[in-house]
Amino acid sequence: MLDKVFDPQAAEPRLYDAWEASGAFAPRDDAAARPFCMVIPPPNVTGALHIGHALNNTLQDVLTRFARMRGDATLWLPGTDHAGIATQMVVERQLAAEGNISRRDMGREAFVERIWDWKATSGGTIVRQLRRLGASCDWSRERFTLDEGLSAAVRRVFVTLHRQGLIYRDKRLVNWDPQFQTAISDLEVEQREVDGCYWHFAYPLEDGSGEIVVATTRPETMLGDTAVAVHPSDERYTALVGKCVRLPIVGRPIPIIADDYADPEKGSGAVKITPAHDFNDFRVGQRHHLPLINILDPFARINDNAPPEYRGLDRFAARKKVVEAFEALGLLRAIEPTRHAVPHGDRSGAVLEPYLTDQWWVDAKTLAQPAIRAVEEGRTLFEPRNWEKTYFEWLRNIEPWCISRQLWWGHRIPAWYGPDGHIFVAEDEAGACAAAREHYGRDEALRQDEDVLDTWFSSALWPFSTLGWPEQTPDLHQFYPTDTLVTGFDIIFFWVARMMMMGLHFMGEVPFRRVFINALVRDAQGAKMSKSKGNVLDPLGLIDTYGADALRFTLTAMSGQARDIKLSTQRIEGYRNFSTKLWNAARFCEINGCVAVPGFDPGSATATVNRWIRGETFKAWAHVTKSLEDCAFDDAAGALYRFVWNVYCDWFLEFAKPILNGADEAAKAETRAVAAWVLETILKLLHPVMPFVTEELWDKTAARDGLLITAPWPDLPDGYVDGPADVEMNWLVGLITEVRQLRAEMSVPPSARPPLALIGADPVTLGRLARHRDLILTLGRLASAEPAAAPPAGSAPFVIGEATGALAIAEFIDLAAERARLDKEIAGHAADIDRTAKKLANADFIARAPEEVVEDNRERLAEARNAKTRLEAAKSRLEALA
RNA sequence: GGGCGGCUAGCUCAGCUGGUCAGAGCGCCUGGUUUACACCCAGGAGGUCGGGGGUUCGAACCCCUCGCCGCCCACCA
């Protein structure tokens, strides 16, 4: 006996354990099965599940469960990411809170040890939370980006790319984060609009013949200026090119050069050039062989290349001092307030500095070409398609990727330096030593590179490293390329594009056939969820309150949104109600003895209701199947919702009641079997989205062999759709709806049982009336429903097809109300007639519209006219009475 | 500056390749102890589909244009 309501709190953990214990999460061992694999976007190992994860992983689980039920050898491979900067930052903060200890105080080894401890304590959190959500990952294959196998993959990739010349060491400008004291990649730079100034400085010509004015938003960088550039065709300055200015404060003579980079339209048309502290200036410097003068230390303080009074000053203090100096020198020409974008570190929030350092780089341009081609050729498809444009845009303009980080948490760069600085890149120290021996002709002490790799370097290998590469494992052969990647658009560059590059380079094949880009979850007001705003919806709290199924269904139903999902608890509550509705439908079946009959063939059903619901079930199945194949998750959810609630519960079960309570045993048996079959089919179709409640019902509503999670997806024949049954049931639904509307509008008390007369019904309709009289009486709350030659006196009419229904409710009819009701109905038909007639009077319409459309309109016009005539007749009778 | 989304009932959103497509859920209003379900049932009100123009026999859906809102990329003279 089913409980009154489903208790997710109690049932979910039990059901999850049962799935896991059954081995259902592992791919089925069937050589003939089609392989289906997805790799999880690995969450930060120390992180907690947020609503975005909930969405992303719900969709993945839906696809996984769908594939599994369809019989594929299904693998959803889980794992976590070491998340270099993010994790290191968390632990550094902990240390600071504990007693102001810095990682440097601690030393590298102890610090890294400390992070591993932290990983050990908090690392299970998000994985446990994914289980709460119902994620059917194969936990036996769980991976971590820093585990041994993946580290081996990282080293192999690094060494290989280095040997191929696609990884190299280079001294160039990087985005330097002075807070973390590490280089970061272009992608980790966040431009923020801030208020600032243009300071206009006069640089006196060395020969004393005048000055040249330049403007800057970063005055301190002038300490590193090595030229002033003007445009070659800028006549104002033609005479000055080749001369020198004497750099104020510093006293260094620097040349005035001609370069296209200077824009005559901007400011004075002359621009100061600081090659060591500006990306554009760096390029100008290279063209003109200008010296690079680095004036900052890693903390972004002024270094010893600047005049003594500036050394050690923070850049912003130096800025102030430089401006004051110019003012004192009488060389400050103007201060112009401005709003401009300033680069900040996306993690630290610190203002970044272009900074000259030695770093490791990936030749992304070369690797990008196959990645571009693969998407152009459709070997990987983006869904929705338009994200391809974003992908192409970035890859076609890609810059070298700075992969070294001056951090401690991550994959140590497999490069060793000899005493003379010679670099030996090898997968391990022994390899490096061997190479060094060969190079030097003797053993030399080597020093490993201190840096670690960008976290995204290891993530880029995820689709094959997790499957065992570089070992040639059975998993790798069976599951690469993977099927679908589900991820957010915010990491198309960080992750998707780089997986494409690495996958194609090392596996010779795309890492996934399809990329589904899911939306971003926001709060009910549309604001981005963030801890500081306090508008974060914790998925675990929602699961506690509404159950995992309700949250999953909500996220699935809302996943169609192009950019963001505004989540509200009201919506979740609504879908929790949906799960309760399903539960109660199952209870109804149970109470009425609707138990699945093994081997029952719905195709054999004879009763009209049963033939009809069988066809409706087919339509729902076809709709859901197609939608899930196409990643149209919202569409699948909508179809399921409507079918379960508005078709199965609202109509079919109501239609079934008189039969189930009736005396016709054969009809009863058939209806019971059909009701149970439909319910069983619903459980299967709904399982990918609502796995818990469906599994529970699967278990409790019949004695079955296995778990629902591994039950086969239905495969229904289109012969299940029965056209005549559809028409008949639609007529019945229409009739009952009309009766209900009329009763409500005329305020007929629910207890009243008026008789219904049907006038002008043709033989087909009379047959329907006879077949469904029981239902009509019950659902319409009527005393009788009989054909008649004319409407009884004091009845309210309505139109149902070719016939006119007349509800004998004389005692409830209010003349004014009935007149108003009829007028409104008549007006509706009149408007319809008007519109349709106008259309049909249009020669162009007749000539150009498809015959089908024209015919539809003709029928519509005829029906509307007919209905209007009958209602008008009813109205005159009414008036005659009055 | 370049690109991409969005603008449809009070709210959140569906409306695929133009022809009952003007819809759903929530909210609101009216009525309901119909033994599966009040986490429910029946019924109802409410929108000139952001503005303007165009294409078409016909446009929420296609084109142009304008206006807001949001995001991404580039830009620290």
Side-chain angles (χ1 to χ4, degrees):
Chain A
M1 194 60 192
L2 287 172
D3 293 337
K4 187 116 169 111
V5 289
F6 176 58
D7 178 5
Q9 295 259 38
E12 289 177 357
R14 185 183 81 241
L15 293 165
Y16 195 89
D17 289 347
W19 290 328
E20 197 165 8
S22 77
F25 295 168
R28 75 176 62 221
D29 185 16
D30 176 357
R34 191 182 76 104
F36 177 93
C37 180
M38 291 198 303
V39 289
I40 200 171
N44 294 1
V45 65
T46 58
L49 196 78
H50 60 65
I51 201 78
H53 291 124
L55 168 66
N56 176 250
N57 288 292
T58 293
L59 299 183
Q60 290 180 79
D61 197 46
V62 169
L63 289 178
T64 299
R65 288 175 185 270
F66 178 53
R68 188 182 289 123
M69 290 177 80
R70 296 229 282 179
D72 295 346
T74 305
L75 171 61
W76 182 14
L77 204 158
T80 51
D81 194 288
H82 67 283
I85 291 189
T87 306
Q88 177 164 329
M89 211 168 91
V90 168
V91 175
E92 282 188 272
R93 259 199 229 120
Q94 288 175 358
L95 289 173
E98 276 168 27
N100 225 1
I101 312 163
S102 82
R103 67 174 156 118
R104 285 170 220 285
D105 300 336
M106 235 175 144
R108 183 169 191 145
E109 211 170 310
F111 180 74
V112 169
E113 187 93 344
R114 168 70 194 239
I115 303 184
W116 279 105
D117 288 347
W118 166 237
K119 187 242 172 196
T121 56
S122 76
T125 304
I126 197 154
V127 167
R128 277 194 301 278
Q129 293 174 325
L130 282 169
R131 290 169 195 252
R132 289 288 313 279
L133 188 67
S136 60
C137 310
D138 183 357
W139 299 108
S140 73
R141 285 173 164 85
E142 182 182 349
R143 304 306 298 266
F144 174 51
T145 48
L146 269 181
D147 69 23
E148 188 35 49
L150 271 64
S151 299
V154 165
R155 292 193 296 269
R156 174 69 58 87
V157 165
F158 188 97
V159 170
T160 306
L161 289 177
H162 180 261
R163 194 176 57 237
Q164 294 170 336
L166 296 171
I167 281 183
Y168 54 91
R169 193 158 167 81
D170 194 12
K171 189 187 212 66
R172 34 181 295 176
L173 284 186
V174 296
N175 296 294
W176 184 260
D177 186 321
Q179 184 177 325
F180 291 147
Q181 295 184 38
T182 179
I184 59 176
S185 75
D186 297 345
L187 287 177
E188 291 159 274
V189 178
E190 194 179 291
Q191 300 291 343
R192 294 188 196 164
E193 285 282 321
V194 299
D195 288 316
C197 294
Y198 284 132
W199 283 276
H200 296 251
F201 292 156
Y203 287 1
L205 289 168
E206 198 178 22
D207 60 13
S209 63
E211 64 181 35
I212 191 161
V213 175
V214 296
T216 179
T217 55
R218 293 189 301 157
E220 71 282 7
T221 61
M222 61 80 53
L223 300 171
D225 281 1
T226 54
V228 169
V230 296
H231 197 272
S233 60
D234 191 339
E235 289 172 5
R236 291 172 295 177
Y237 297 111
T238 313
L240 299 182
V241 172
K243 290 190 171 186
C244 279
V245 294
R246 185 161 293 276
L247 194 59
I249 300 175
V250 180
R252 182 166 59 233
I254 58 173
I256 296 168
I257 60 173
D259 192 283
D260 288 346
Y261 169 63
D263 181 351
E265 304 295 316
K266 273 188 184 170
S268 65
V271 56
K272 63 191 271 309
I273 300 296
T274 322
H277 294 284
D278 183 282
F279 289 99
N280 288 313
D281 293 5
F282 182 80
R283 282 188 283 272
V284 175
Q286 283 185 319
R287 286 199 284 274
H288 297 269
H289 309 289
L290 298 173
L292 291 138
I293 301 178
N294 177 20
I295 55 152
L296 295 176
D297 72 8
F299 294 90
R301 294 175 306 217
I302 305 298
N303 69 14
D304 292 353
N305 289 329
E309 65 271 28
Y310 288 88
R311 293 175 192 169
L313 281 182
D314 176 77
R315 55 191 154 154
F316 299 113
R319 176 172 300 177
K320 198 158 167 260
K321 197 173 168 77
V322 165
V323 172
E324 284 165 2
F326 266 89
E327 192 164 19
L329 291 167
L331 296 172
L332 180 60
R333 288 291 169 266
I335 303 175
E336 183 189 344
T338 181
R339 237 185 122 63
H340 61 127
V342 176
H344 290 70
D346 63 351
R347 295 277 173 187
S348 69
V351 174
L352 302 177
E353 291 294 334
Y355 193 57
L356 195 61
T357 53
D358 284 307
Q359 302 288 346
W360 290 94
W361 301 84
V362 167
D363 176 358
K365 192 103 199 158
T366 301
L367 291 173
Q369 301 318 310
I372 294 169
R373 233 174 296 125
V375 174
E376 282 172 344
E377 291 167 2
R379 281 181 283 136
T380 292
L381 292 171
F382 276 76
E383 183 67 44
R385 199 62 189 266
N386 49 301
W387 288 109
E388 287 178 4
K389 201 164 177 173
T390 306
Y391 172 86
F392 286 139
E393 182 61 22
W394 188 66
L395 282 179
R396 286 175 181 147
N397 299 298
I398 200 163
E399 294 288 322
W401 173 18
C402 176
I403 51 170
S404 41
R405 296 288 180 278
Q406 289 65 56
L407 304 172
W408 288 350
W409 178 240
H411 297 97
R412 191 87 178 256
I413 288 173
W416 283 261
Y417 300 92
D420 59 353
H422 190 91
I423 300 172
F424 302 94
V425 170
E427 287 186 40
D428 52 31
E429 187 159 15
C433 288
R437 197 175 306 123
E438 189 153 316
H439 178 78
Y440 295 115
R442 59 176 185 282
D443 284 332
E444 282 287 0
L446 299 182
R447 181 177 49 80
Q448 187 174 3
D449 195 305
E450 293 293 321
D451 294 348
V452 299
L453 289 164
D454 182 1
T455 295
W456 296 101
F457 190 87
S458 54
S459 315
L461 319 181
W462 191 247
F464 53 93
S465 64
T466 52
L467 290 169
W469 190 91
E471 303 302 320
Q472 293 300 309
T473 61
D475 271 5
L476 189 64
H477 288 130
Q478 189 179 4
F479 294 114
Y480 192 98
T482 68
D483 195 277
T484 302
L485 179 81
V486 181
T487 192
F489 56 78
D490 50 332
I491 52 175
I492 289 177
F493 305 149
F494 277 110
W495 195 43
V496 179
R498 286 163 177 172
M499 283 192 285
M500 289 292 288
M501 294 194 262
M502 292 300 196
L504 283 160
H505 193 75
F506 286 94
M507 297 296 295
E509 184 49 280
V510 293
F512 23 76
R513 305 277 184 213
R514 182 167 65 166
V515 181
F516 180 78
I517 299 296
N518 63 240
L520 221 64
V521 183
R522 298 173 180 264
D523 73 5
Q525 277 69 47
K528 198 164 178 172
M529 289 192 182
S530 71
K531 280 179 193 158
S532 55
K533 281 191 207 135
N535 61 349
V536 177
L537 277 177
D538 170 24
L540 276 302
L542 295 172
I543 289 172
D544 288 339
T545 311
Y546 302 104
D549 288 330
L551 177 63
R552 290 171 60 114
F553 200 96
T554 307
L555 294 170
T556 304
M558 301 186 83
S559 66
Q561 257 119 90
R563 280 296 166 100
D564 35 57
I565 292 178
K566 292 173 202 159
L567 190 67
S568 75
T569 53
Q570 267 192 339
R571 196 82 187 234
I572 305 172
E573 195 178 329
Y575 291 124
R576 189 272 318 272
N577 295 351
F578 173 65
S579 128
T580 306
K581 185 75 180 174
L582 173 69
W583 183 265
N584 279 299
R587 283 184 71 216
F588 174 87
C589 286
E590 183 182 56
I591 290 164
N592 287 282
C594 307
V595 180
V597 177
F600 171 71
D601 173 19
S604 69
T606 56
T608 316
V609 244
N610 293 336
R611 286 185 286 126
W612 163 74
I613 194 65
R614 174 233 280 159
E616 292 299 307
T617 307
F618 170 87
K619 291 177 201 165
W621 164 77
H623 193 152
V624 171
T625 304
K626 177 77 169 58
S627 298
L628 291 182
E629 282 172 350
D630 297 345
C631 286
F633 301 100
D634 53 335
D635 207 34
L640 286 163
Y641 186 96
R642 287 189 300 273
F643 178 63
V644 172
W645 202 313
N646 304 123
V647 178
Y648 185 66
C649 292
D650 284 352
W651 292 106
F652 174 74
L653 292 183
E654 295 303 326
F655 290 154
K657 279 175 183 174
I659 302 176
L660 295 172
N661 294 326
D664 184 338
E665 289 304 325
K668 203 187 283 191
E670 179 184 289
T671 302
R672 278 176 172 161
V674 168
W677 171 77
V678 177
L679 178 66
E680 186 175 274
T681 306
I682 286 171
L683 294 181
K684 288 179 181 174
L685 298 182
L686 202 48
H687 182 262
V689 187
M690 289 191 146
F692 292 108
V693 68
T694 52
E695 186 73 73
E696 182 78 342
L697 288 172
W698 180 262
D699 176 51
K700 299 216 157 144
T701 54
R704 305 181 210 259
D705 284 340
L707 295 170
L708 177 56
I709 188 175
T710 45
W713 190 255
D715 186 12
L716 308 182
D718 56 10
Y720 275 10
V721 176
D722 184 324
D726 281 0
V727 173
E728 184 157 328
M729 296 314 290
N730 285 339
W731 173 85
L732 182 59
V733 165
L735 176 65
I736 292 165
T737 304
E738 285 291 346
V739 170
R740 284 171 171 173
Q741 285 173 342
L742 208 150
R743 293 184 64 120
E745 275 179 65
M746 292 291 100
S747 302
V748 178
S751 54
R753 293 283 186 283
L756 171 68
L758 212 52
I759 303 101
D762 62 26
V764 174
T765 301
L766 291 177
R768 290 171 183 162
L769 177 64
R771 275 192 295 280
H772 303 294
R773 186 170 279 111
D774 279 0
L775 289 173
I776 295 166
L777 299 188
T778 309
L779 300 180
R781 308 176 70 75
L782 302 169
S784 64
E786 300 297 333
S795 63
F798 61 88
V799 172
I800 173 79
E802 86 291 354
T804 303
L807 206 55
I809 47 170
E811 65 270 44
F812 305 110
I813 291 183
D814 172 278
L815 193 64
E818 174 64 353
R819 187 185 285 136
R821 184 184 75 88
L822 287 173
D823 282 343
K824 195 178 141 201
E825 292 280 317
I826 291 166
H829 288 300
D832 203 19
I833 290 166
D834 199 46
R835 201 169 344 118
T836 316
K838 215 174 265 173
K839 228 185 229 184
L840 289 166
N842 183 339
D844 283 332
F845 175 71
I846 304 292
R848 301 188 193 218
E851 188 53 39
E852 227 180 272
V853 175
V854 175
E855 194 48 42
D856 280 354
N857 276 277
R858 286 203 177 106
E859 278 172 31
R860 184 175 176 159
L861 180 62
E863 277 168 27
R865 278 184 173 149
N866 189 303
K868 181 164 169 262
T869 307
R870 279 181 278 154
L871 291 171
E872 276 166 349
K875 201 190 163 199
S876 11
R877 276 195 304 277
L878 184 77
E879 301 296 356
L881 232 98

